[in-house]
Amino acid sequence: MSLEYLFLIQNKMSIITTKIEIPQILVTILTKLQEHGYRPYLVGGCVRDFFLNKQIKDFDVEVFDLDNLQNIIPILEQFGSVNSVGKSFGVLKLSTKEFDFDFSLPRTEQKTGKTHRDFLVKTDSKLSYKDAARRRDFTINAIYYDYFSKTFIDPFNGINDLDNKIIKHIDDKTFVEDSLRVYRAIGFSSRFNFEIDSKTKDLCFKIIESKELNFLPKERVFEELKKIFLKSPKPSVGLKLIDFFGIFSINFERSYEYIDNLSNILKNEDFSDFRKLYLFFATLLRHKEEAKILEFLENITNDKKFIKSILLLCKNSLSFDEKNLKKLSLILCLQDLILVEKASNKSDILKIENLVKKLEIYDKPIKIYVCGKDLINLGFQESIEFKEILQFALDLQIEKDLNKEQIIEKIIKEYKIKSF
């Protein structure tokens, strides 16, 4: 069913629209809420993703005619574990075996300070749909769906904006009160290949010029960048907008093509999000000065392991040289560097990749022939000399291509130790 047809239907509220498929457990929950006199509606990303024909993973439910979230906790606890940490902000989270659901009250929000927690939240179960949706960021995220009547309530014409592929803010005043919305506008544009409305762009510039982005926690910024890389068919769309708004002190133009190349490569790799992300950031930053790379990363994350992984990939490069490749395999995963350089269109990367696989160091370090245990068997006592001897042995293995027996003979001769 086309967006245009659905848009026509939702303006004729007496006509039943199409059905959004939701988990049976959620159907049961919505039914119980309705039986208690409440009016639950799906809203936000789950409704938006339905129109975009995307798999729905997160379900948000806004419950009208409910004065206090405490009243529905006994109902929700029948289905799973209820997290009430966000109750003061009008939100409960229900975790079941397979799903997480958010339940919230209609509410208004007013900014009272600089941080993301500085908001005055007022819940009101009798708010109109339009007033309840006004606190949301974009029109495409403010569409309500009534599961029981199979109808959509679209107070800010979000369905029309979905049809026209537009990211448009809802309210001038409420939009600028949450500076994270700059990143969210960029993220949705990148993920859906939508255009940001010109007035929304103006408000994003207003937020940036006010320096409000400086007060965002690193974790929230990182999460939005993560979505751009992991959820966008072409992450370069988001990077171009980041450069357009001048959000960071460095420019990413040189990496647009490379980032999209890597995105296509990683579609065929079963990697963790952590690994995918450090590959993206390494591809993004490898042509920058190390000091600037470090400054950028420390502004978005405190994860030392993550930063170290990126720096290693940024400061090293591959060559068709067995000795260098063997040495490099001891400090990083050559597969990672191959993928980064493949994305960056390195000319001889396939030749290097074949050599690395032949040497059996593609996704593991070179097997070291002589270790500490071998030295002890030769009669050495553990000491600071161990490190020197082990390095001597490794150099013989890599530089001279000696086998274990030959290396041990050299150690005995060099350090005057008799073999037992």
Side-chain angles (χ1 to χ4, degrees):
M1 186 177 293
S2 70
L3 290 182
E4 180 181 5
Y5 181 57
L6 282 171
F7 179 66
L8 291 173
I9 287 178
Q10 67 89 32
N11 278 306
K12 300 177 180 178
M13 299 301 289
S14 61
I15 300 179
I16 302 301
T17 69
T18 189
K19 178 182 178 181
I20 296 181
E21 294 295 336
I22 64 175
Q24 183 56 47
I25 189 172
L26 184 54
V27 174
T28 305
I29 294 170
L30 296 179
T31 301
K32 283 189 173 291
L33 290 173
Q34 187 187 62
E35 289 172 352
H36 281 76
Y38 309 128
R39 290 185 292 129
Y41 295 88
L42 298 182
V43 66
C46 59
V47 182
R48 177 201 68 220
D49 289 349
F50 163 74
F51 282 105
L52 295 175
N53 294 316
K54 294 183 177 293
Q55 181 182 2
I56 301 174
K57 296 181 179 180
D58 301 308
F59 293 88
D60 292 341
V61 181
E62 195 159 307
V63 187
F64 288 76
D65 292 344
L66 170 65
D67 294 323
N68 193 321
L69 281 174
Q70 188 69 35
N71 296 343
I72 65 169
I73 290 180
I75 299 174
L76 301 182
E77 285 179 335
Q78 299 175 41
F79 302 93
S81 173
V82 177
N83 185 332
S84 58
V85 172
K87 190 169 66 172
S88 60
F89 293 96
V91 181
L92 290 176
K93 184 178 290 291
L94 171 65
S95 297
T96 68
K97 290 182 179 180
E98 297 182 50
F99 303 98
D100 288 328
F101 305 117
D102 283 355
F103 294 85
S104 63
L105 290 174
R107 61 192 187 272
T108 59
E109 298 174 351
Q110 181 180 353
K111 191 173 180 66
T112 59
K114 293 291 188 181
T115 76
H116 70 292
R117 295 184 179 277
D118 294 330
F119 280 87
L120 176 63
V121 177
K122 292 184 178 180
T123 60
D124 184 348
S125 66
K126 302 302 181 183
L127 279 176
S128 67
Y129 302 115
K130 191 166 189 175
D131 287 338
R134 195 176 299 280
R135 67 176 179 81
R136 297 182 178 273
D137 48 12
F138 306 108
T139 61
I140 62 173
N141 293 328
I143 307 165
Y144 291 92
Y145 175 70
D146 184 345
Y147 175 79
F148 300 104
S149 66
K150 308 297 182 286
T151 55
F152 295 90
I153 300 167
D154 185 17
F156 294 102
N157 296 316
I159 296 175
N160 187 63
D161 290 334
L162 283 168
D163 197 19
N164 292 314
K165 302 183 182 299
I166 293 291
I167 305 295
K168 184 185 296 183
H169 71 284
I170 290 174
D171 183 273
D172 290 4
K173 182 179 182 299
T174 59
F175 182 79
V176 298
E177 289 185 339
D178 185 354
S179 55
L180 190 69
R181 287 171 174 175
V182 175
Y183 288 103
R184 286 176 61 80
I186 293 170
F188 287 131
S189 178
S190 183
R191 287 163 57 186
F192 307 142
N193 197 25
F194 281 17
E195 181 68 28
I196 301 176
D197 179 73
S198 60
K199 291 183 179 179
T200 304
K201 284 182 179 178
D202 290 341
L203 290 179
C204 288
F205 275 119
K206 182 179 179 180
I207 292 172
I208 295 166
E209 290 166 2
S210 72
K211 308 296 183 184
E212 288 290 316
L213 294 185
N214 296 338
F215 297 98
L216 287 172
K218 295 179 183 181
E219 297 79 12
R220 299 190 84 197
V221 174
F222 186 84
E223 189 62 27
E224 295 305 319
L225 295 176
K226 173 182 175 180
K227 292 175 185 176
I228 290 173
F229 287 129
L230 299 185
K231 295 187 176 184
S232 302
K234 291 184 66 175
S236 64
V237 174
L239 293 178
K240 289 175 183 178
L241 284 168
I242 287 173
D243 287 340
F244 171 76
F245 286 118
I247 292 176
F248 298 112
S249 60
I250 53 179
N251 183 281
F252 303 119
E253 183 175 1
R254 186 175 179 182
S255 301
Y256 295 162
E257 178 186 353
Y258 304 156
I259 285 293
D260 288 343
N261 288 344
L262 183 63
S263 180
N264 286 326
I265 291 170
L266 293 181
K267 288 177 183 177
N268 301 317
E269 300 290 350
D270 185 23
F271 292 169
S272 67
D273 285 354
F274 179 88
R275 189 177 183 187
K276 287 181 179 180
L277 284 169
Y278 72 64
L279 291 174
F280 272 118
F281 279 100
T283 303
L284 182 69
L285 300 166
R286 64 185 275 108
H287 302 295
K288 308 294 183 185
E289 296 175 9
E290 184 171 339
K292 290 186 177 180
I293 295 173
L294 191 58
E295 178 187 9
F296 172 79
L297 292 175
E298 289 180 341
N299 280 330
I300 62 170
T301 182
N302 292 319
D303 190 328
K304 300 300 182 184
K305 181 181 178 182
F306 185 74
I307 293 174
K308 181 181 178 181
S309 299
I310 295 166
L311 288 175
L312 277 174
L313 291 173
C314 286
K315 67 172 62 173
N316 288 287
S317 60
L318 298 167
S319 62
F320 194 74
D321 184 308
E322 286 193 22
K323 294 176 183 178
N324 286 336
L325 290 171
K326 289 176 180 178
K327 291 176 183 177
L328 204 52
S329 75
L330 295 170
I331 63 173
L332 54 77
C333 176
L334 291 182
Q335 181 186 17
D336 286 346
L337 193 50
I338 286 169
L339 292 176
V340 169
E341 297 207 335
K342 189 178 288 186
S344 302
N345 298 327
K346 187 179 180 72
S347 58
D348 58 347
I349 191 61
L350 293 180
K351 182 180 177 182
I352 294 172
E353 182 179 16
N354 289 332
L355 175 59
V356 166
K357 289 180 177 179
K358 179 182 177 182
L359 296 171
E360 298 183 346
I361 53 175
Y362 180 65
D363 55 1
K364 58 186 176 184
I366 182 176
K367 182 179 179 180
I368 298 176
Y369 293 155
V370 176
C371 59
K373 183 179 179 181
D374 297 304
L375 297 186
I376 292 173
N377 290 337
L378 288 173
F380 284 97
Q381 299 295 320
E382 291 190 51
S383 66
I384 57 174
E385 194 178 27
F386 253 48
K387 183 176 181 181
E388 177 188 333
I389 300 173
L390 289 173
Q391 186 59 53
F392 173 75
L394 183 60
D395 288 341
L396 290 173
Q397 178 181 339
I398 294 177
E399 299 293 339
K400 303 297 184 181
D401 198 26
L402 301 185
N403 61 34
K404 183 172 182 175
E405 290 74 19
Q406 292 170 325
I407 294 170
I408 288 177
E409 287 179 9
K410 292 285 187 181
I411 291 174
I412 293 171
K413 181 178 180 180
E414 180 72 18
Y415 291 93
K416 300 178 182 179
I417 297 295
K418 292 183 179 180
S419 176
F420 301 157

